Amino acid sequence: MSNTVAGHVRRTTVVADDGVPIAVCEYGPADAAVTAVFLHGHCMRSESWDLLRDQLEAAWNTRVRMVFYDHRGHGDSGRAPASSYTIDQLGRDLATVVAAVVPVGPVVVVGHSMGGMAALAWVRQQPELVRTRLAGIALIATAANGLADAGLGRLLRSPAVSVFHTAARWAPRATAGSKRVGCAVGAAAVRVAGTRGRSVDPRVVAITAAMAGQTSIVTVSSFLKSFVDFDESATVSALAGIPAVVVCGTADVLTPLAHSEALAARLPGAELVRIRGAGHSVILERAPEVAAAIDGLVARVRSGGVLAPAV
């Protein structure tokens, strides 16, 4: 593990169990009482949390340390064999990051979209760590199963996506071409799934499209395959008794609200936050409201799991 410091950010490279370098950024004091670890979504990178991080830094000051990292094949983290682009591997990567940069103390895990799926895989893989270290969990615009059964997720089994996977197999032989295809696919996905006729801040659309366009077609395709049979519905029961918040925009067409409602129903005591009119990129579209939900979760953690009174 290597470290560099730039201003108030500590940048770390953590090596995954298969040798892939994972780029990590830390904010806040290393000796904070609670550490929150943030996992971004498919085709995004840790910067997708920037607007929300600004809100939380203002709310938390130095009381909570925040850890952000890029999934393998995304952002500044290393590329890896396509066979390792699975949700199970992302769960193991989270375990590696926690062991390296949060070796002791309570942890709150915050996952958006694919990041929430990775968090659930980690919960299954690390039962003892979850029992002793996991203080709270936030699941944002995500699902425990059935991704191909609702919303635009139904396209995961469509012939068009099969053609896309075929193109991805040729990508290593045509790197420049794959980059152009990746950018086109990323931009199109944002236009279709991110807006759907809604009025969305053009800056949010531009930021999301830029991140998606920087993700290789191999990464995009391989993780999409992992989504089809993703099922951690049995894992959710392991979170019983752990403070939780489930957040979703009511206009999310990638992981529709029904997924979040099902998650919350399986988590007695979980808070379900519906953000009216927000889409899948809710952490960018409505950062203050999502930050408030996470802040409320941490308040519950700090008060021993009891909901803090409204301010």
Side-chain angles (χ1 to χ4, degrees), residues 138-300:
L139 298 168
I140 304 168
T142 193
N145 66 320
L147 285 165
D149 298 334
L152 288 181
R154 288 190 290 258
L155 296 177
L156 288 170
R157 292 195 176 100
S158 75
V161 172
S162 296
V163 171
F164 178 65
H165 291 319
T166 300
R169 285 199 297 272
W170 286 90
R173 306 179 192 180
T175 305
S178 74
K179 192 64 176 179
R180 287 193 296 271
V181 172
C183 289
V185 168
V190 169
R191 285 195 299 272
V192 172
T195 60
R196 289 289 276 190
R198 296 179 297 115
S199 176
V200 178
D201 186 335
R203 292 173 300 175
V204 170
V205 176
I207 290 168
T208 308
M211 291 185 194
Q214 291 166 3
T215 308
S216 82
I217 188 175
V218 176
T219 300
V220 175
S221 170
S222 299
F223 278 115
L224 285 177
K225 287 181 179 179
S226 188
F227 294 169
V228 174
D229 298 317
F230 174 76
D231 189 349
E232 292 289 355
S233 54
T235 299
V236 179
S237 61
L239 295 169
I242 294 174
V245 64
V246 180
V247 181
C248 190
T250 61
D252 189 338
V253 295
L254 284 179
T255 50
L257 181 60
H259 284 306
S260 290
E261 291 174 334
L263 266 172
R266 296 190 191 109
L267 284 169
E271 180 186 8
L272 175 60
V273 177
R274 302 175 180 90
I275 300 183
R276 186 167 299 280
H280 192 65
S281 298
V282 62
I283 63 172
L284 286 162
E285 291 181 43
R286 307 284 278 275
E289 291 160 85
V290 179
I294 296 170
D295 185 34
L297 172 66
V298 171
R300 291 169 63 189

Side-chain angles (χ1 to χ4, degrees), residues 20-260:
V20 175
I22 305 295
V24 181
C25 293
E26 302 173 61
Y27 298 78
D31 60 352
V34 179
T35 298
V37 181
F38 294 78
L39 291 74
H40 67 77
H42 185 232
C43 296
M44 297 290 101
R45 54 190 298 162
S46 61
E47 283 87 345
S48 63
W49 296 105
D50 281 0
L51 297 177
L52 188 142
R53 190 197 72 237
D54 290 344
Q55 299 283 328
L56 291 176
E57 280 189 308
W60 290 342
N61 195 4
T62 59
R63 296 193 303 274
V64 180
R65 176 168 57 140
M66 291 184 282
V67 174
F68 304 84
Y69 68 95
D70 292 333
H71 293 305
R72 60 179 53 223
H74 293 76
D76 292 329
S77 288
R79 304 299 177 257
S83 60
S84 77
Y85 290 155
T86 66
I87 304 303
D88 262 11
Q89 181 60 55
L90 293 188
R92 291 191 289 274
D93 290 347
L94 173 56
T96 298
V97 170
V98 169
V101 301
V102 200
V104 296
V107 177
V108 172
V109 172
V110 182
H112 172 242
S113 188
M114 185 175 75
M117 296 156 60
L120 291 175
W122 173 78
V123 166
R124 169 176 50 79
Q125 295 164 356
Q126 303 287 330
E128 181 62 19
L129 192 64
V130 167
R131 188 183 67 80
T132 59
R133 302 273 314 281
L134 183 62
I137 188 165
L139 298 168
I140 304 168
T142 193
N145 66 320
L147 285 165
D149 298 334
L152 288 181
R154 288 190 290 258
L155 296 177
L156 288 170
R157 292 195 176 100
S158 75
V161 172
S162 296
V163 171
F164 178 65
H165 291 319
T166 300
R169 285 199 297 272
W170 286 90
R173 306 179 192 180
T175 305
S178 74
K179 192 64 176 179
R180 287 193 296 271
V181 172
C183 289
V185 168
V190 169
R191 285 195 299 272
V192 172
T195 60
R196 289 289 276 190
R198 296 179 297 115
S199 176
V200 178
D201 186 335
R203 292 173 300 175
V204 170
V205 176
I207 290 168
T208 308
M211 291 185 194
Q214 291 166 3
T215 308
S216 82
I217 188 175
V218 176
T219 300
V220 175
S221 170
S222 299
F223 278 115
L224 285 177
K225 287 181 179 179
S226 188
F227 294 169
V228 174
D229 298 317
F230 174 76
D231 189 349
E232 292 289 355
S233 54
T235 299
V236 179
S237 61
L239 295 169
I242 294 174
V245 64
V246 180
V247 181
C248 190
T250 61
D252 189 338
V253 295
L254 284 179
T255 50
L257 181 60
H259 284 306
S260 290

